């Protein structure tokens, strides 16, 4: 998962023509629709790559 | 919604919501100065001279764009207002050449007037003054933009009313100017020289070239006349000084053209002074024309006509009446021919509109136009098919534009090629003219299918619906879509747009000659109008405007082989007796022959003598050999005209006639409006009014017609023609009247068929849409040009010798 | 993961100071050492302190390096990146700090600022939607999707946001009018035509945080019932246009623009329309005409755009900065938080562009209610060169000047209006005694005269005549009546012009006459420009009593007009002198005086 738009796993369905209403929150706090530490880690990896410091992410 | 009460200059007034302060003030008779305000244009509010003080408002407001508000207290001439106006005038004057002494506009210039009113003699702001070069590149008018005050009215007229879009504001700041794109000259722009900018400019920036140095406004006499070109019959004011016509202005109050003209009306009158005018009677002797006296000429004519009549019978005589002839001329010509015992009186150009006329007769019982020109502005939908109004009837085009752009009408334009009107159309259909019929039939079919037909109207006012409906059910919409190149979706959208409007009008200017495709199309359009109940009410109907200015009138006057005036049939004894009594002679009971048929026979025709009033069959026929053959083989040919036309050059006698501005007469425009055109200048040389020539000739032939003037002729017309019965010159001096006008206090008839059609019920016709073999090579010829410039029919007798000839494409 | 993040400013100011070359050098130095992949370089948005650009901020260390040159990069890489030590000489230094300062909390320029609108500028990669989302982006929009449109308008009203384009109209109220207007088709328009000379607040937002604008427009669309928006961006901002296009593409890909957005019954698409070089197109009705393909000329109101705007449909037009505030307000708890900052009548923060004779030029974002004194001296660092403050021009060509007597005026819409100035878009031009107020008025008026659309008489002709009078005055041909003429003409123009441009363009003239009438009178009656700007109205004379003959001026003079012996008082040859001002810049003794033409030097500065 390189970017937030990429699906973290098979559970994810969000795309512009099949939208998921939790998408935005899910980018940073997700996964929302299911529990999976691996998926959560994928998101953290994206964030860590660009977060300048601890205060960078705003929820 | 309730009225709004406000106080202006201490006076109370209640107005409808949406009324501007300016409009309210005008109702009270308060004169607030304006430069850029024009009720016909979108609200502008640019010049700021109309600012007024509203109590408790932060700044002064422009009264022309500010709606009256409840309890508003307005001061139109307070100190603060006057100070602002003086500043604005001072600023304008600072950048304006003060050359009032030689300016053409002096005496009727708003800048001058307001400076006088507010005591602004000079400007307190001395500085740069613009020095722009004159644009005198074109043949019609001069633009001196140094005098321009940038009110923008010219831009508004050009873009909103006419749609030519030749000019707009250019640049910015102090160097702002108004002109064509890329600062081209007018000559290079899309200007159509309609003259609206000139007519509405409040200052002297725009001047027709003919008028320069010709006379001051107070030296000019204005004579009311009617434009001689197309069948709209715009009302004009001939500007006369001495015996010279120096300009033409439109009449603002006329419901026909409302202050609008096109290039022909505005500029196409200079042919009057052309050196080619025939100024004396001519008789051909040894192949050469010789000038003779009127006595000689008339005597010669009488001898020949009597000779031919006694040798070959009255049926060998024929009269050809130009659709440019006045009603009086046309009436007298047919009276003359009929007095000689012949019913062979017709117009060569009638064939252009014959199919349309026959179609209307079949569907409604009368070929007269169903509705009026001014009603078009208020229609809810307009379907223009096979008409390029911008070229053929520009003023009608302005009304369609107004309906669509300003008043929210849905505009559907169908044509064989792209035309300007499509720029503002909601539905644009470009298709082969051969497919017009298929299109219209498909629309009718869709309207029925989608339940949009006005069944109540059909049941009560029409017949023949069932066979018509059945015939339509055979139509396959997809096939029509393939044939026309228009998708089914669009076809349905168009059908709905037309059928769901409360009032919808159809306009077509199709003209055809010997094939019946035009006839069928007219029937199909009539079907559409009947189907949707768009007849017998305002702002609806079927508009098939004629080309020539008095095409309607000469037919009304009986210049038709089978009818006397008012379409009273020669066949009917009762009618013949009526005329016989009035004229003191017997009317031939056998209808005459149509000009079309006579000329087709060429030199084998039985006609031996023709009196041609103003027509030019040689050119109108497209120079067909049969036409020339017939004319050259005639025993005797008389031509009464203003120029030596191709036909006149073949004549035995040529009589010099007066042109439109040189004679008084009435003309009936395409919306059945009889209008009086007054003589403004004397005809040249020995030329005479047409009616007078005919009356004189009649006297020489032994008929006792005692007319002291054209009014006497008209009185007789009215007495014998039911549709004209209530019309008199006295009434016409006030305004034109639309027939039927049955009595002296009848106001005229704006639209027809309110209660019944002329034939009782309207008739649905089944028209198959197989294209006629004769149009195999392609386009349906369309009545393409205004007045006398129609490609086939008219000989451009007037425009050829006028500056407007350069406009012909 | 990256070792460090280097945020290089690629915005207006730093770009002109050469940040591209600095970036190039930095990349080269890192590649030389083969360490480029360990560090993340972002050419991003504006940190605001243009005076000390080019700027690089290193995270997570939070070190602010400034006044950089390509030649500094080797040391920076070697010492800081590889060696882990600060490069002191590249830190911020100035008369307002005792030691070279490291970051936002220690650099005085930033002390009184509060970053709302500029929250992401310089912090994120403007071309990354992911970073925008990480910083809380599109949360407010998600919340708005689930709200009742009327409730959204209420929140914006409660927050007290007023239009940041200059007019200061209540944004929530404007949205409400459009929401209530009848009709199914409505539009949101973003006015990104920032035309005031020297203003670049909107530019920085567009270039540095484009998604904030998209989010603002989306929320507005939801609130008023629009499904389409236009961003009217001046063509002179190609980078902003590029960034906006990228942002729109990304948002579309992410399903934040398009149909059925995030599965709600809401569609929205955004179009970009480029301006074509007309200041008047910043006026909202002229802007709408321009989008419609017509000549950009204003029209009268009513009808107001909220009832009949773009293509005749109800339209809300908002300024870039206004829209950038929206996501902050509409996020959970945002309205109350927003309203805690600012004054009673003017809530929130405002971005100002500090320009002119001020030490710290650049962009700053401060809470409303801050005094002018604080902006000039605390944020701005006071007047350059230690001269005296004369006035500050607020609001560009539509605004007025605020003199020294009014330094304690709080900056908010109403106070500024009362003082005869306007908030405008936020441009503050600071002036010292070397600014001629007459020339200032003339400068602004020449701008508006050129930009006047030409539609209405008072503006088109009136500004020309006013300008001619001012030109005459600055050239020495003023007459006493001129002041009255200027006054009455200005009043007429204000009272009868069609649009905001005309109604406000006399303000600089009126305001400078109001507070600096004596300068006008000196120009007119004494033919003297004491600021030394109007070349026809002064001469430079060397005060022989104080001149030490150091010859610094001689070296500077381009026409060899100064003569004298070394260590002896020198003299300026008035025939040759062009009054270019080079000598007075260089003089160490402050002994070159600005004197009236034809008179000896005895006039105080």
């Amino acid at each position: 998962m390189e970017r937030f738009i990429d699906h973290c796993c098979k559970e994810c369905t969000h795309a512009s023509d099949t939208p998921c209403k939790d998408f935005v929150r899910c980018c940073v706090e997700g996964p929302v629709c299911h529990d999976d530490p691996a998926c959560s880690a994928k998101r953290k990896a994206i964030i860590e790559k660009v977060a300048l410091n601890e205060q960078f992410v705003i929820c | 919604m309730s009225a709004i009460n406000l106080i202006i200059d201490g006076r109370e007034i209640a107005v409808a919501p949406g009324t501007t302060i300016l409009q309210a003030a005008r109702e009270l008779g308060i004169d607030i100065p304006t430069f850029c305000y024009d009720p016909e244009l979108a609200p502008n509010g640019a010049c700021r001279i109309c600012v007024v003080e509203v109590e408790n408002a932060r700044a002064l407001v422009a009264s022309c764009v500010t709606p009256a508000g409840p309890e508003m207290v307005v001061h139109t001439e307070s100190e603060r207002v006057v100070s602002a106006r003086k500043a604005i005038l001072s600023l304008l004057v600072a950048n304006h050449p003060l050359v009032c002494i030689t300016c053409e506009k002096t005496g009727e210039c708003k800048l001058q007037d307001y400076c006088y009113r507010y005591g602004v003699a000079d400007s307190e702001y001395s500085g740069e003054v613009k020095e722009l070069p004159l644009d005198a590149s074109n043949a019609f008018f001069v633009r001196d933009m140094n005098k321009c005050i940038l009110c923008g009215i010219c831009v508004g007229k050009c873009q909103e009313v006419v749609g030519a879009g030749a000019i707009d504001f250019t640049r910015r700041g102090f160097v702002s100017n108004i002109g064509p794109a890329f600062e081209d000259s007018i000559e290079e722009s899309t200007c159509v020289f309609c003259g609206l900018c000139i007519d509405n400019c409040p200052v002297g920036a725009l001047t027709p070239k003919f008028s320069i140095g010709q006379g001051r406004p107070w030296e000019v006499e204005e004579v009311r006349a009617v434009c001689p070109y197309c069948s709209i019959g715009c009302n004009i004011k001939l500007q006369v000084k001495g015996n010279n016509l120096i300009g033409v202005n439109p009449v603002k109050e006329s419901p026909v053209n409302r202050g609008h003209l096109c290039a022909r009306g505005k500029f196409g009158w200079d042919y009057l002074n052309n050196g080619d005018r025939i100024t004396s009677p001519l008789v051909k002797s040894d192949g050469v024309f010789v000038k003779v006296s009127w006595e000689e000429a008339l005597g010669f004519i009488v001898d020949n006509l009597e000779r031919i009549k006694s040798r070959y019978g009255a049926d060998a005589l024929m009269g050809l009446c130009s659709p440019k002839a006045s009603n009086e001329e046309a009436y007298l010509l047919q009276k003359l021919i009929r007095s000689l015992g012949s019913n062979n009186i017709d117009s060569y150009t009638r064939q252009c509109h014959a199919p349309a006329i026959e179609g209307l007769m079949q569907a409604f019982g009368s070929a007269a136009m169903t509705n009026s020109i001014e009603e078009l502005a208020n229609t809810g939908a307009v379907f223009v098919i096979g008409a390029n109004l911008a070229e053929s009837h520009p003023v009608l085009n302005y009304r369609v534009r107004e309906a669509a752009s300003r008043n929210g009408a849905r505009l559907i334009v169908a044509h064989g090629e792209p035309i300007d009107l499509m720029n503002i159309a909601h539905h644009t259909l470009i298709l082969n003219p051969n497919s017009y019929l298929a299109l219209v039939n498909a629309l009718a079919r869709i309207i029925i299918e989608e339940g949009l037909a006005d069944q109540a109207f059909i049941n009560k006012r029409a017949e023949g619906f069932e066979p018509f409906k059945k015939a339509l059910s055979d139509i396959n919409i997809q096939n029509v879509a393939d044939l026309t190149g228009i998708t089914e979706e669009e076809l349905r959208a168009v059908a709905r747009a037309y059928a769901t409007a409360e009032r919808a009008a159809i306009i077509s200017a199709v003209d055809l000659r010997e094939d019946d495709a035009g006839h069928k199309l007219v029937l199909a359009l009539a079907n559409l109008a009947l189907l949707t109940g768009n007849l017998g009410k305002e702002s609806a109907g079927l508009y098939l405007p004629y080309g020539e200015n008095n095409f309607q009138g000469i037919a009304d006057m009986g210049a038709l082989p089978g009818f006397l005036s008012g379409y009273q049939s020669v066949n009917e004894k009762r009618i013949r007796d009526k005329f016989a009594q009035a004229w003191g002679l017997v009317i031939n009971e056998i209808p005459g022959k149509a000009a079309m048929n006579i000329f087709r026979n060429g030199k084998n025709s039985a006609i031996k003598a023709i009196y041609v009033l103003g027509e030019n069959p040689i050119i109108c026929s497209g120079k067909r050999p049969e036409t020339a053959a017939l004319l050259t083989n005639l025993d005797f040919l008389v031509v009464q005209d203003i120029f030596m036309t191709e036909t006149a050059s073949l004549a035995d006698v040529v009589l010099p006639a007066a042109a439109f501005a040189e004679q008084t007469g009435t003309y009936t425009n395409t919306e059945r409006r009889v209008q009086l055109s007054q003589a403004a200048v004397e005809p040249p040389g020995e030329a005479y009014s047409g009616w007078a020539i005919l009356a004189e000739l009649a006297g020489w032939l032994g008929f006792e017609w005692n007319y002291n003037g054209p009014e006497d002729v008209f009185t007789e017309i009215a007495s014998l023609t039911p549709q004209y019965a209530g019309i008199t010159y006295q009434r016409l001096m006030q305004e034109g009247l639309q027939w039927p006008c049955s009595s002296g206090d009848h106001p005229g008839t704006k639209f027809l068929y309110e209660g019944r059609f002329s034939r009782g019920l309207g008739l649905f016709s089944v028209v198959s849409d197989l294209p006629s073999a004769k149009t195999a090579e392609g386009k349906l010829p369309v009545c393409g040009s205004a007045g006398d410039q129609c490609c086939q029919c008219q000989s451009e007798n007037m425009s050829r010798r006028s500056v407007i000839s350069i406009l012909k494409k | 993961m990256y070792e460090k993040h280097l945020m290089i400013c690629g915005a207006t100011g730093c770009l002109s100071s050469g940040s591209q070359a600095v970036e190039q050098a930095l990349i080269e130095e890192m590649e030389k050492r083969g360490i480029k992949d360990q560090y993340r370089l972002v050419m991003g948005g504006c940190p605001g302190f243009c005076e000390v650009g080019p700027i690089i901020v290193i995270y997570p260390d939070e070190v602010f390096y400034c006044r950089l040159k390509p030649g500094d990069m080797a040391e920076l890489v070697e010492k800081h990146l590889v060696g882990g030590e600060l490069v002191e000489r590249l830190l911020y230094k100035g008369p307002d700090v005792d030691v070279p300062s490291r970051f936002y909390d220690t650099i005085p320029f930033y002390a009184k600022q509060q970053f709302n609108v500029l929250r992401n500028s310089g912090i994120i990669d403007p071309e990354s939607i992911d970073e925008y989302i990480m910083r809380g982006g599109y949360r407010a929009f998600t919340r708005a999707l689930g709200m009742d449109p009327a409730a959204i308008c209420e929140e914006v009203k409660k927050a007290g946001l007023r239009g940041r384009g200059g007019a200061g109209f209540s944004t929530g109220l404007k949205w409400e009018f459009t929401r209530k207007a009848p009709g199914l088709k409505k539009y949101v328009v973003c006015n990104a035509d920032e035309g005031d000379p020297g203003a670049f607040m909107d530019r920085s937002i567009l270039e540095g945080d484009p998604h904030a604008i998209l989010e603002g427009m989306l929320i507005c669309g939801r609130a008023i019932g629009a499904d389409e928006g236009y961003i009217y961006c001046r063509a002179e901002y190609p980078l902003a246009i590029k960034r906006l296009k990228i942002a729109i593409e990304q948002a579309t890909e992410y399903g934040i623009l398009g149909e059925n957005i995030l599965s709600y019954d809401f569609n929205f698409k955004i179009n970009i329309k480029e301006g074509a070089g007309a200041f008047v197109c910043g006026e909202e009705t002229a802007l709408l005409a321009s989008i419609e393909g017509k000549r950009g000329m204003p029209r009268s109101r009513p009808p107001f755009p909220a009832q009949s705007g773009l293509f005749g449909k109800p339209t809300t037009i908002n300024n870039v900065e206004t829209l950038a505030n929206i996501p902050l307000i509409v996020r959970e708890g945002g309205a109350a938080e927003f309203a805690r900052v600012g004054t009673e009548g003017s809530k929130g923060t405002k971005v100002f562009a500090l320009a002119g004779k001020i030490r710290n030029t650049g962009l700053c974002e401060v809470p409303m209610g801050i005094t002018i004194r604080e902006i000039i001296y605390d944020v701005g660092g006071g007047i350059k060169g230690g001269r005296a403050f004369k006035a500050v021009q607020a609001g560009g060509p539509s605004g007025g000047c605020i003199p020294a007597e009014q330094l304690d005026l709080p900056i908010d819409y109403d106070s500024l209006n009362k003082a005869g100035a306007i908030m405008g878009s936020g441009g503050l031009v600071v002036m010292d005694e070397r600014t001629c107020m007459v020339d200032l008025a003339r400068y602004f008026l020449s701008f508006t005269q050129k930009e006047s659309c030409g539609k209405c008489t008072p503006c088109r002709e009136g500004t020309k005549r006013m300008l001619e009078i001012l030109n005459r005055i600055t050239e020495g041909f003023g007459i006493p009546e001129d002041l009255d003429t200027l006054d009455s003409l200005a009043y007429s123009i204000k009272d009868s012009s069609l649009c905001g441009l005309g109604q406000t363009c006399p303000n600089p003239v009126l305001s400078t006459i109001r507070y600096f009438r004596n300068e006008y009178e000196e120009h007119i009656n004494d033919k003297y420009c004491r600021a030394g700007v109007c070349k026809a109205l002064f001469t430079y004379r060397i005060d022989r009593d104080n001149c030490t003959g150091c010859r610094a001026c001689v070296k500077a003079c381009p026409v060899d007009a100064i003569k004298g012996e070394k260590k002896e008082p020198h003299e300026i040859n008035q025939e040759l002198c062009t009054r270019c001002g080079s000598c007075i810049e260089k003089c160490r003794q402050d002994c070159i005086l600005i004197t009236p033409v034809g008179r000896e030097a005895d006039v105080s500065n």
Side-chain angles (χ1 to χ4, degrees), chain B residues 71 109 139 168 221 259 320 349 360 471 530-531 535 553 645 663 665 667:
Chain B
E71 315 305 323
C109 165
D168 201 342
E221 191 197 337
L320 265 190
T349 44
L360 291 171
L530 285 169
L531 189 61
L535 289 160
T645 65
Q663 62 176 7
Y667 301 83

Side-chain angles (χ1 to χ4, degrees), chain C residues 117-119 161 163-166 189-194 200-217 230-234 237 240 244 287 317-327 350-351 425:
Chain C
V117 155
L118 296 177
R119 59 191 174 278
L161 177 65
R164 295 291 193 253
V189 173
C190 169
N191 184 347
D193 193 54
E194 188 168 53
F200 61 110
M201 297 72 75
D202 292 349
R203 179 177 190 168
S204 303
I205 301 170
L206 292 165
E207 290 178 356
D209 194 7
H211 281 281
I213 301 309
L214 302 192
E215 187 171 3
M217 288 176 76
Y230 278 83
I231 301 177
Y232 188 90
C233 185
R234 61 185 308 198
Y237 288 174
L244 284 168
L287 189 153
I317 301 135
N318 281 136
N319 164 266
V320 167
E321 194 179 332
T322 312
L323 287 169
N325 274 296
I326 293 297
K350 177 81 186 81
V351 181
S425 55

Side-chain angles (χ1 to χ4, degrees), chain B residues 441-442 444-445 448 464-476 527 764-769:
Chain B
N441 280 338
R445 155 71 189 278
I448 294 176
F465 180 63
E466 286 308 316
F468 164 68
K469 179 174 166 186
K470 184 166 179 316
L472 287 181
S473 64
D474 292 335
I475 294 177
N476 179 313
N527 287 339
F764 282 98
S765 313
V766 174
V767 269
S768 74
D769 49 37

Side-chain angles (χ1 to χ4, degrees), chain B residues 278-299:
Chain B
I278 307 173
T279 53
S280 86
L282 302 166
V283 167
K284 196 172 271 170
S285 165
D286 287 330
V288 174
F289 279 113
V290 174
K291 285 189 186 175
V292 297
S293 66
W294 273 102
E295 287 77 15
E296 276 187 68
L298 292 173

Side-chain angles (χ1 to χ4, degrees), chain B residues 277-538:
Chain B
R277 288 289 296 274
I278 307 173
T279 53
S280 86
L282 302 166
V283 167
K284 196 172 271 170
S285 165
D286 287 330
V288 174
F289 279 113
V290 174
K291 285 189 186 175
V292 297
S293 66
W294 273 102
E295 287 77 15
E296 276 187 68
L298 292 173
F300 190 58
I301 294 172
V302 167
D303 288 345
N304 277 285
L305 288 181
E306 284 177 346
R307 174 181 60 79
I308 291 170
K309 177 175 173 180
S310 71
R311 178 157 175 207
Y312 298 100
D315 285 339
L317 304 174
M318 177 178 185
L320 265 190
C321 183
S322 162
K324 293 226 158 300
S326 67
N327 289 334
E328 290 78 2
E329 286 178 282
Y331 177 79
L332 289 184
L333 180 63
Q334 62 88 34
K335 182 176 180 182
L336 186 71
I337 299 295
R338 290 192 158 115
S339 299
L340 288 169
S342 166
N343 273 325
N344 295 329
I345 169 77
D346 199 356
S347 159
Y348 187 86
T349 44
R350 188 163 62 88
Q351 59 194 333
C352 288
H353 298 296
I357 292 171
E358 279 154 33
L360 291 171
M361 296 282 300
Q362 181 172 327
F364 308 139
S366 159
M369 189 174 272
T370 65
N371 291 69
S372 307
I373 294 165
E374 64 170 339
E375 292 171 46
L376 259 182
N378 295 321
T379 185
V382 189
F383 178 28
V384 181
I385 174 166
N388 187 357
L389 298 174
E391 285 191 25
S392 66
H393 302 85
V395 172
L396 209 58
N397 203 40
Y398 306 163
R399 294 296 159 270
V400 174
R401 292 183 57 84
E402 184 182 344
S405 301
R406 225 177 152 192
N407 297 337
R410 305 283 301 173
L411 176 59
I412 306 153
V413 181
H415 203 74
E417 56 183 0
I419 54 172
D420 277 355
L421 194 56
M422 289 174 175
N423 289 342
I424 58 163
H426 299 96
H427 303 275
T428 294
L429 312 170
I430 300 182
L431 69 164
N432 187 322
N434 285 338
S435 315
Y436 287 162
L437 189 52
L439 168 68
V440 178
N441 280 338
L443 293 176
R445 155 71 189 278
I446 293 170
I447 290 172
I448 294 176
E449 191 183 289
E450 299 200 3
L452 298 171
D454 186 341
Q455 208 55 54
F457 182 90
I458 294 170
N459 294 340
K460 195 168 130 202
R461 302 289 310 270
E463 55 185 354
F465 180 63
E466 286 308 316
F468 164 68
K469 179 174 166 186
K470 184 166 179 316
L472 287 181
S473 64
D474 292 335
I475 294 177
N476 179 313
I477 303 287
Q478 190 51 50
N479 286 348
V480 177
D482 294 337
L483 172 71
T484 58
I486 300 163
T487 65
E488 176 170 345
E489 199 188 326
E490 180 67 351
L491 287 171
R492 289 187 183 275
V494 167
R496 281 174 215 141
Y498 174 74
T500 56
E502 203 188 306
R503 297 162 192 285
I506 299 172
I507 306 179
S508 185
V510 181
D511 89 308
L512 308 97
R513 293 208 279 283
E514 291 106 298
D515 70 39
D516 65 352
H519 173 230
K520 282 185 171 173
L521 183 57
V522 169
L523 287 174
L525 293 173
N527 287 339
L528 261 192
L530 285 169
L531 189 61
T532 52
N534 274 310
L535 289 160
K537 62 185 184 189
E538 265 197 78

Side-chain angles (χ1 to χ4, degrees), chain C residues 289-549:
Chain C
S290 181
I291 296 180
E292 291 172 3
K294 303 182 197 140
R295 182 181 154 96
M297 293 208 296
R299 59 159 175 80
S300 327
R301 276 155 290 186
F304 291 91
Q307 314 304 122
S308 168
L310 189 59
F311 302 116
K313 308 290 180 216
T315 306
T316 290
I317 301 135
N318 281 136
N319 164 266
V320 167
E321 194 179 332
T322 312
L323 287 169
N325 274 296
I326 293 297
L328 291 174
I329 291 172
V330 179
R331 71 179 175 190
E332 192 71 49
E337 200 178 316
F338 184 86
R340 276 201 279 277
V341 178
T343 66
E344 190 53 47
S346 307
K347 296 287 180 200
T349 58
K350 177 81 186 81
V351 181
F352 288 98
L354 298 172
K357 308 292 179 71
I358 197 163
R359 191 172 323 111
N360 299 339
T361 57
L363 287 188
C364 63
E365 183 171 4
V366 291
M368 294 277 200
I370 194 174
T371 65
I372 299 191
R373 188 185 298 282
E374 285 174 275
I375 287 200
I376 307 275
Y377 290 100
D378 299 337
V379 180
I383 308 297
K384 232 182 207 162
R387 295 215 176 91
F389 171 83
K390 184 169 183 180
V392 57
Q393 161 79 7
S398 311
C401 62
I402 298 160
E405 309 93 80
Q406 308 232 358
L407 271 174
D408 291 303
L409 202 63
I411 295 212
D412 68 36
Y413 290 99
D414 308 306
S415 311
L416 286 175
N417 284 345
K418 271 208 244 24
I422 63 169
M423 178 84 70
S425 55
L428 292 173
V429 182
V430 179
M431 297 164 291
D432 64 11
E433 71 252 27
R434 290 289 173 76
T435 310
C436 171
M437 303 312 281
V438 184
D439 181 67
L440 180 85
R442 189 197 60 76
Y443 164 73
F444 278 121
L445 203 54
S446 72
F447 175 78
T448 24
Q449 156 53 210
K450 264 206 326 271
E451 296 291 337
S452 165
C453 76
K455 180 166 178 175
C456 78
T457 315
C459 178
R460 178 187 76 239
E461 307 285 338
T463 52
K464 173 73 174 180
R465 301 307 171 199
M466 283 185 77
L467 182 60
E468 282 176 339
I469 294 173
L470 285 169
N471 278 334
R472 268 195 300 103
I473 293 176
T474 56
E475 287 163 12
F477 299 108
I479 55 175
E481 292 75 27
D482 281 342
L483 283 179
D484 286 334
T485 310
L486 278 175
D487 209 60
S488 69
L489 191 46
Y491 183 64
S492 292
I493 297 172
K494 272 181 86 70
D495 214 17
S496 52
S497 282
L498 175 71
C499 83
L501 193 158
Q503 287 157 8
T504 58
C505 71
N507 285 349
V509 178
L510 287 174
S511 136
T512 48
I513 292 181
R514 173 174 168 183
Y515 292 116
F516 297 96
R517 195 183 182 92
N518 60 315
E519 258 186 74
Y520 278 86
E521 284 169 346
E522 260 185 348
H523 279 66
I524 294 171
N525 301 325
D526 304 327
K527 309 291 184 228
Y528 175 46
C529 173
R530 66 170 55 236
V533 172
C534 304
K535 291 213 192 307
L537 305 185
F538 71 93
T539 56
Y540 288 125
R541 284 181 197 279
I542 295 177
D543 182 1
R544 303 179 68 78
D545 297 330
N546 288 325
C547 174
T548 59

